[in-house]
Amino acid sequence: MVALLFKTSLRWRLTLLISGSVVLPMFGTLLIASYQGSQILRKEAEDKLILQANSLAHKVTQWDEKVVQIMNNLNLQPAIQDMYGSEQEPVLQAGIAVYPDMYLINTLDTDGFNVARSDRKPLKYYGDRNYFKRAIAGQEVSREILLGRTLDKPAIVFSTPIKQTFYGEKPEIVGVLALAITLTEVTQQVQAIQVGKTGYAFVVDSQGKILAHPHSHQFKALQDFHEYPPVKSLINGRSGLLIFEDSDQNKWVSYSISLPNGWGAIVQQQKSEILTQVNQFWQFSIVLAVGVLIAVSGITWVIATQTIQPIRQLNRAVQLTAQGDLGQSVIAKKQDEIGLLAQSFNAMAHQLKDLFDQLEEKVKERTKELAKANQLITALNHKLTLENGRMEAELLILTEIQNMVLPKPEELQEIEELDIATYIQSATEVGGDYYDILPHPGGITFCIGDVTGHGLESGILMVMTQVAVRTLIESDSHNFIEILNILNKTLYKNIARMNSDKNITLSLINYANFHLIISGQHEEVIIGRANGTLERIDTMDLGLPIGLEEDITPFLNYLTLDLGPGDGVVLYTDGITEARNEAKRMYGIERLCDVLRQSWSHSSEEIKQAVLGDFNQFIGEVALRDDITLVIFKC
């Protein structure tokens, strides 16, 4: 789309650009205003629902409290408390006159039979009613919604226990006062609420039955609304705003309030009616935006046409100049930006003509300069090739020196008391791993180390280490702590002279008559027992990397242990345990130990081949990132 736009004429691009720069901000402003307007309209609608619901809840609560007060006042009368029917009847008749919606006040004994009635009808049994059971149980005010036996229509019965105090003792329940009243006033309060064209209010009891509803058929039979979403939410203890969809797929916004007596007051309105004004505002915004777009586009088209005509003339002159006609010029009548551009073109055209006249001579001069530069580059390339050849030869020589100082197979075969197998492989031409096996009158010393990194510096330090260790061993110095201390001082100074940051982890292991001495810090030393079990010796507390500090005497220590026939030792560098495969998983010491356990009953060479086979299978095609060394010997 963007590429197609840039292929159109400048007139169209200017029109689209200016129109877009006006319409897009306008649309953004309208979008924000519409959103804010919709939020205000929604808030006003919700506030209206809340106000109506609070008003209804307040009026219903007042009505309930008024009825309860009438009942409590009657219950305080001595005639009511004495439980004599002939004395109670006038009091009940006087009470029925207080409130026109009350159609019956009666008293019942503790068995549920009438003692007196305000309507003077035959006395009945009401012991099966829940309001009676709750009052006898001691509930101060009980309410029950039912179809009255007297009027045969929905009504509510309020009840309270009648108590007497005998001889100053605790009051005892001697009967029940019950007051039956229609829901006419509550229904009138509900019908008085009108929210828009679709909104209305209703009242339910604690079980979800309709008590008052603007549609009379909904409450005449105490219709059960406990599954209606706002009623269900209220029963579950969640009042307040709720948006829901009824069985006819109409969406509603409701506000519900839980009353002190357990009832619920609910006011609701269809969501579509709430959003009507929002939709009208959106329609007006769209019509306005389209009108502005058409007006801006028309004005822009006229301005673009007047602007582009001189540009076309300038473009024609540029094309002819590009074809070689350097005598072109354009008439600059206006002093605006386009006129200034025309003047600049005329000046440029004259300069081009002058430059073209001088170009051929300058080309000849520059060609000579390029020829000289090419000769210099050729000489530098030749010198670089020679330098690379020299450095490659030096690396090959150092690699050869490293290989020359490693123990030869025939040397290892002369050590008859041990079965020895070794392996070393560098990640680059020159590695930093080091191992050596040095027989001497005091036994056989195994050395294994790892110079940080690899390359020329690491290889030189490896050779230095081998020479220094061999010199110290050959000088009959078999005190490992003394050897490591001297070695560290020597290499520390050489490393400083080389201006290098390298150091070496190094362990010395001396074997003599089934007895081992281990000193120096390196990877773990693995001891294999004849029965196939393995022991891992941590060397972290036996030394410090060589060349890291000038004096490492306080850190040096040694460890001794005994071997038996079939026992052996495995030495390695971290190039094995820290190698990663294509999935970035590390080979690890645990996997190495698993392979050693499985193959320990074999010879050292077979054990070595098992380890290398498993290692190569693990890393697959991943190139080595570090040198690897493996030394195994068995008694």
Tab-separated table of all heavy atoms in Angstrom, residues 256-293:
chain	number	residue	atom	x	y	z
A	256	SER	N	-28.681	-4.183	42.418
A	256	SER	CA	-29.417	-4.878	43.478
A	256	SER	C	-28.867	-4.480	44.834
A	256	SER	O	-27.673	-4.222	44.999
A	256	SER	CB	-29.320	-6.395	43.287
A	256	SER	OG	-27.966	-6.801	43.266
A	257	ILE	N	-29.808	-4.441	45.823
A	257	ILE	CA	-29.451	-4.091	47.197
A	257	ILE	C	-30.066	-5.128	48.121
A	257	ILE	O	-31.243	-5.481	47.989
A	257	ILE	CB	-29.952	-2.684	47.574
A	257	ILE	CG1	-29.321	-1.623	46.663
A	257	ILE	CG2	-29.651	-2.368	49.032
A	257	ILE	CD1	-29.845	-0.228	46.920
A	258	SER	N	-29.279	-5.618	49.045
A	258	SER	CA	-29.780	-6.545	50.052
A	258	SER	C	-30.316	-5.734	51.233
A	258	SER	O	-29.616	-4.901	51.804
A	258	SER	CB	-28.664	-7.488	50.514
A	258	SER	OG	-29.136	-8.368	51.507
A	259	LEU	N	-31.600	-5.971	51.589
A	259	LEU	CA	-32.243	-5.226	52.669
A	259	LEU	C	-31.910	-5.845	54.021
A	259	LEU	O	-31.541	-7.029	54.105
A	259	LEU	CB	-33.754	-5.201	52.453
A	259	LEU	CG	-34.225	-4.665	51.089
A	259	LEU	CD1	-35.734	-4.612	51.034
A	259	LEU	CD2	-33.643	-3.287	50.815
A	260	PRO	N	-32.051	-5.089	55.111
A	260	PRO	CA	-31.731	-5.617	56.450
A	260	PRO	C	-32.536	-6.854	56.812
A	260	PRO	O	-32.064	-7.697	57.584
A	260	PRO	CB	-32.055	-4.436	57.376
A	260	PRO	CG	-31.888	-3.218	56.519
A	260	PRO	CD	-32.350	-3.627	55.169
A	261	ASN	N	-33.781	-6.991	56.283
A	261	ASN	CA	-34.607	-8.151	56.631
A	261	ASN	C	-34.345	-9.351	55.735
A	261	ASN	O	-35.071	-10.351	55.820
A	261	ASN	CB	-36.082	-7.763	56.585
A	261	ASN	CG	-36.517	-7.326	55.197
A	261	ASN	OD1	-35.734	-7.370	54.254
A	261	ASN	ND2	-37.763	-6.871	55.067
A	262	GLY	N	-33.337	-9.262	54.853
A	262	GLY	CA	-32.989	-10.390	53.992
A	262	GLY	C	-33.588	-10.318	52.608
A	262	GLY	O	-33.262	-11.127	51.749
A	263	TRP	N	-34.530	-9.382	52.355
A	263	TRP	CA	-35.093	-9.236	51.024
A	263	TRP	C	-34.101	-8.543	50.086
A	263	TRP	O	-33.047	-8.096	50.517
A	263	TRP	CB	-36.378	-8.408	51.080
A	263	TRP	CG	-37.465	-9.051	51.905
A	263	TRP	CD1	-37.465	-10.278	52.468
A	263	TRP	CD2	-38.701	-8.436	52.279
A	263	TRP	NE1	-38.620	-10.501	53.166
A	263	TRP	CE2	-39.415	-9.372	53.067
A	263	TRP	CE3	-39.307	-7.217	52.021
A	263	TRP	CZ2	-40.669	-9.120	53.602
A	263	TRP	CZ3	-40.553	-6.947	52.535
A	263	TRP	CH2	-41.243	-7.894	53.329
A	264	GLY	N	-34.495	-8.455	48.836
A	264	GLY	CA	-33.640	-7.768	47.875
A	264	GLY	C	-34.451	-6.809	47.021
A	264	GLY	O	-35.544	-7.155	46.567
A	265	ALA	N	-33.905	-5.613	46.794
A	265	ALA	CA	-34.516	-4.619	45.908
A	265	ALA	C	-33.668	-4.524	44.650
A	265	ALA	O	-32.456	-4.311	44.731
A	265	ALA	CB	-34.621	-3.267	46.603
A	266	ILE	N	-34.300	-4.679	43.484
A	266	ILE	CA	-33.556	-4.730	42.219
A	266	ILE	C	-34.204	-3.773	41.225
A	266	ILE	O	-35.427	-3.769	41.060
A	266	ILE	CB	-33.544	-6.159	41.639
A	266	ILE	CG1	-32.875	-7.118	42.637
A	266	ILE	CG2	-32.839	-6.200	40.293
A	266	ILE	CD1	-33.003	-8.569	42.255
A	267	VAL	N	-33.363	-2.944	40.567
A	267	VAL	CA	-33.797	-2.060	39.490
A	267	VAL	C	-32.953	-2.397	38.266
A	267	VAL	O	-31.729	-2.508	38.377
A	267	VAL	CB	-33.639	-0.577	39.874
A	267	VAL	CG1	-34.116	0.310	38.734
A	267	VAL	CG2	-34.400	-0.257	41.145
A	268	GLN	N	-33.583	-2.562	37.090
A	268	GLN	CA	-32.837	-2.942	35.892
A	268	GLN	C	-33.369	-2.218	34.670
A	268	GLN	O	-34.514	-1.752	34.644
A	268	GLN	CB	-32.887	-4.458	35.690
A	268	GLN	CG	-34.274	-5.016	35.424
A	268	GLN	CD	-34.251	-6.537	35.317
A	268	GLN	OE1	-33.508	-7.207	36.032
A	268	GLN	NE2	-35.074	-7.076	34.428
A	269	GLN	N	-32.508	-2.115	33.649
A	269	GLN	CA	-32.841	-1.429	32.396
A	269	GLN	C	-32.075	-2.105	31.267
A	269	GLN	O	-30.936	-2.565	31.450
A	269	GLN	CB	-32.455	0.051	32.476
A	269	GLN	CG	-32.854	0.868	31.254
A	269	GLN	CD	-32.441	2.335	31.378
A	269	GLN	OE1	-31.657	2.688	32.259
A	269	GLN	NE2	-32.965	3.186	30.523
A	270	GLN	N	-32.692	-2.181	30.098
A	270	GLN	CA	-32.019	-2.807	28.967
A	270	GLN	C	-30.794	-1.998	28.551
A	270	GLN	O	-30.839	-0.765	28.487
A	270	GLN	CB	-32.974	-2.951	27.782
A	270	GLN	CG	-33.985	-4.079	27.947
A	270	GLN	CD	-34.706	-4.403	26.668
A	270	GLN	OE1	-34.412	-3.835	25.620
A	270	GLN	NE2	-35.665	-5.307	26.743
A	271	LYS	N	-29.690	-2.745	28.283
A	271	LYS	CA	-28.430	-2.098	27.937
A	271	LYS	C	-28.539	-1.340	26.616
A	271	LYS	O	-27.921	-0.279	26.439
A	271	LYS	CB	-27.325	-3.158	27.855
A	271	LYS	CG	-25.939	-2.587	27.671
A	271	LYS	CD	-24.901	-3.686	27.679
A	271	LYS	CE	-23.504	-3.102	27.505
A	271	LYS	NZ	-22.456	-4.152	27.500
A	272	SER	N	-29.330	-1.858	25.678
A	272	SER	CA	-29.465	-1.196	24.376
A	272	SER	C	-30.052	0.198	24.522
A	272	SER	O	-29.681	1.125	23.790
A	272	SER	CB	-30.345	-2.049	23.456
A	272	SER	OG	-31.635	-2.238	24.035
A	273	GLU	N	-30.991	0.387	25.468
A	273	GLU	CA	-31.574	1.708	25.684
A	273	GLU	C	-30.534	2.669	26.252
A	273	GLU	O	-30.483	3.846	25.888
A	273	GLU	CB	-32.771	1.614	26.619
A	273	GLU	CG	-33.483	2.949	26.824
A	273	GLU	CD	-34.696	2.833	27.736
A	273	GLU	OE1	-34.923	1.741	28.285
A	273	GLU	OE2	-35.398	3.838	27.900
A	274	ILE	N	-29.674	2.145	27.152
A	274	ILE	CA	-28.615	2.975	27.729
A	274	ILE	C	-27.661	3.458	26.650
A	274	ILE	O	-27.173	4.594	26.670
A	274	ILE	CB	-27.872	2.190	28.819
A	274	ILE	CG1	-28.806	1.892	29.992
A	274	ILE	CG2	-26.634	2.939	29.314
A	274	ILE	CD1	-28.180	1.006	31.062
A	275	LEU	N	-27.395	2.577	25.668
A	275	LEU	CA	-26.404	2.900	24.639
A	275	LEU	C	-26.982	3.656	23.454
A	275	LEU	O	-26.250	3.978	22.503
A	275	LEU	CB	-25.751	1.600	24.139
A	275	LEU	CG	-24.950	0.804	25.179
A	275	LEU	CD1	-24.398	-0.461	24.549
A	275	LEU	CD2	-23.834	1.653	25.752
A	276	THR	N	-28.304	3.939	23.469
A	276	THR	CA	-28.917	4.615	22.312
A	276	THR	C	-28.272	5.962	22.047
A	276	THR	O	-27.896	6.295	20.913
A	276	THR	CB	-30.425	4.777	22.557
A	276	THR	OG1	-31.017	3.487	22.710
A	276	THR	CG2	-31.065	5.501	21.379
A	277	GLN	N	-28.113	6.772	23.100
A	277	GLN	CA	-27.516	8.096	22.918
A	277	GLN	C	-26.059	7.983	22.454
A	277	GLN	O	-25.584	8.803	21.661
A	277	GLN	CB	-27.595	8.882	24.220
A	277	GLN	CG	-29.017	9.211	24.635
A	277	GLN	CD	-29.076	10.049	25.908
A	277	GLN	OE1	-28.042	10.396	26.466
A	277	GLN	NE2	-30.282	10.363	26.355
A	278	VAL	N	-25.349	6.971	22.959
A	278	VAL	CA	-23.959	6.768	22.533
A	278	VAL	C	-23.894	6.481	21.037
A	278	VAL	O	-23.076	7.047	20.298
A	278	VAL	CB	-23.316	5.617	23.325
A	278	VAL	CG1	-21.899	5.363	22.835
A	278	VAL	CG2	-23.319	5.933	24.811
A	279	ASN	N	-24.796	5.607	20.551
A	279	ASN	CA	-24.804	5.270	19.123
A	279	ASN	C	-25.151	6.491	18.272
A	279	ASN	O	-24.583	6.699	17.187
A	279	ASN	CB	-25.800	4.143	18.869
A	279	ASN	CG	-25.382	2.853	19.549
A	279	ASN	OD1	-24.199	2.617	19.760
A	279	ASN	ND2	-26.338	2.004	19.896
A	280	GLN	N	-26.085	7.300	18.743
A	280	GLN	CA	-26.439	8.510	18.003
A	280	GLN	C	-25.248	9.464	17.910
A	280	GLN	O	-25.003	10.083	16.870
A	280	GLN	CB	-27.627	9.193	18.687
A	280	GLN	CG	-28.923	8.404	18.579
A	280	GLN	CD	-30.058	9.041	19.374
A	280	GLN	OE1	-29.835	9.961	20.154
A	280	GLN	NE2	-31.280	8.541	19.163
A	281	PHE	N	-24.504	9.581	19.021
A	281	PHE	CA	-23.326	10.448	19.006
A	281	PHE	C	-22.278	9.936	18.025
A	281	PHE	O	-21.642	10.706	17.305
A	281	PHE	CB	-22.748	10.535	20.421
A	281	PHE	CG	-21.572	11.467	20.535
A	281	PHE	CD1	-21.751	12.832	20.557
A	281	PHE	CD2	-20.273	10.970	20.593
A	281	PHE	CE1	-20.669	13.697	20.662
A	281	PHE	CE2	-19.190	11.818	20.688
A	281	PHE	CZ	-19.397	13.181	20.723
A	282	TRP	N	-22.085	8.598	17.999
A	282	TRP	CA	-21.129	8.006	17.052
A	282	TRP	C	-21.543	8.294	15.600
A	282	TRP	O	-20.706	8.615	14.747
A	282	TRP	CB	-21.034	6.498	17.292
A	282	TRP	CG	-20.027	6.116	18.323
A	282	TRP	CD1	-20.254	5.698	19.579
A	282	TRP	CD2	-18.604	6.123	18.178
A	282	TRP	NE1	-19.078	5.443	20.250
A	282	TRP	CE2	-18.053	5.689	19.409
A	282	TRP	CE3	-17.743	6.459	17.142
A	282	TRP	CZ2	-16.684	5.588	19.615
A	282	TRP	CZ3	-16.375	6.343	17.337
A	282	TRP	CH2	-15.863	5.919	18.575
A	283	GLN	N	-22.813	8.155	15.287
A	283	GLN	CA	-23.287	8.411	13.924
A	283	GLN	C	-23.024	9.859	13.524
A	283	GLN	O	-22.576	10.149	12.400
A	283	GLN	CB	-24.776	8.084	13.838
A	283	GLN	CG	-25.086	6.602	13.986
A	283	GLN	CD	-26.572	6.315	14.067
A	283	GLN	OE1	-27.392	7.234	13.970
A	283	GLN	NE2	-26.925	5.048	14.258
A	284	PHE	N	-23.299	10.780	14.456
A	284	PHE	CA	-23.030	12.190	14.167
A	284	PHE	C	-21.544	12.430	13.927
A	284	PHE	O	-21.152	13.176	13.016
A	284	PHE	CB	-23.522	13.044	15.347
A	284	PHE	CG	-23.101	14.489	15.242
A	284	PHE	CD1	-23.734	15.361	14.370
A	284	PHE	CD2	-22.050	14.968	16.020
A	284	PHE	CE1	-23.331	16.693	14.279
A	284	PHE	CE2	-21.652	16.291	15.936
A	284	PHE	CZ	-22.291	17.156	15.060
A	285	SER	N	-20.696	11.780	14.718
A	285	SER	CA	-19.247	11.944	14.574
A	285	SER	C	-18.765	11.457	13.216
A	285	SER	O	-17.933	12.091	12.561
A	285	SER	CB	-18.523	11.187	15.695
A	285	SER	OG	-18.904	11.661	16.964
A	286	ILE	N	-19.309	10.335	12.758
A	286	ILE	CA	-18.880	9.785	11.464
A	286	ILE	C	-19.297	10.706	10.322
A	286	ILE	O	-18.528	10.980	9.383
A	286	ILE	CB	-19.462	8.372	11.280
A	286	ILE	CG1	-18.826	7.412	12.296
A	286	ILE	CG2	-19.241	7.862	9.867
A	286	ILE	CD1	-19.454	6.043	12.322
A	287	VAL	N	-20.539	11.191	10.349
A	287	VAL	CA	-21.023	12.107	9.300
A	287	VAL	C	-20.168	13.364	9.271
A	287	VAL	O	-19.772	13.852	8.197
A	287	VAL	CB	-22.504	12.456	9.546
A	287	VAL	CG1	-22.955	13.563	8.592
A	287	VAL	CG2	-23.373	11.214	9.365
A	288	LEU	N	-19.853	13.905	10.458
A	288	LEU	CA	-19.025	15.103	10.526
A	288	LEU	C	-17.633	14.843	9.952
A	288	LEU	O	-17.080	15.660	9.205
A	288	LEU	CB	-18.922	15.564	11.982
A	288	LEU	CG	-18.018	16.786	12.242
A	288	LEU	CD1	-18.560	18.002	11.519
A	288	LEU	CD2	-17.901	17.046	13.748
A	289	ALA	N	-17.043	13.691	10.282
A	289	ALA	CA	-15.698	13.368	9.805
A	289	ALA	C	-15.672	13.242	8.286
A	289	ALA	O	-14.752	13.726	7.612
A	289	ALA	CB	-15.216	12.082	10.452
A	290	VAL	N	-16.705	12.582	7.710
A	290	VAL	CA	-16.752	12.425	6.249
A	290	VAL	C	-16.883	13.784	5.570
A	290	VAL	O	-16.239	14.066	4.547
A	290	VAL	CB	-17.908	11.485	5.868
A	290	VAL	CG1	-18.102	11.470	4.351
A	290	VAL	CG2	-17.642	10.081	6.376
A	291	GLY	N	-17.722	14.668	6.122
A	291	GLY	CA	-17.883	15.999	5.539
A	291	GLY	C	-16.589	16.785	5.555
A	291	GLY	O	-16.216	17.433	4.556
A	292	VAL	N	-15.886	16.741	6.696
A	292	VAL	CA	-14.613	17.458	6.787
A	292	VAL	C	-13.592	16.874	5.812
A	292	VAL	O	-12.821	17.617	5.170
A	292	VAL	CB	-14.076	17.404	8.236
A	292	VAL	CG1	-12.673	17.979	8.306
A	292	VAL	CG2	-15.006	18.172	9.166
A	293	LEU	N	-13.577	15.552	5.667
A	293	LEU	CA	-12.645	14.908	4.741
A	293	LEU	C	-12.863	15.376	3.312
A	293	LEU	O	-11.917	15.683	2.580
A	293	LEU	CB	-12.796	13.388	4.840
A	293	LEU	CG	-11.951	12.567	3.870
A	293	LEU	CD1	-10.471	12.816	4.100
A	293	LEU	CD2	-12.271	11.082	4.000
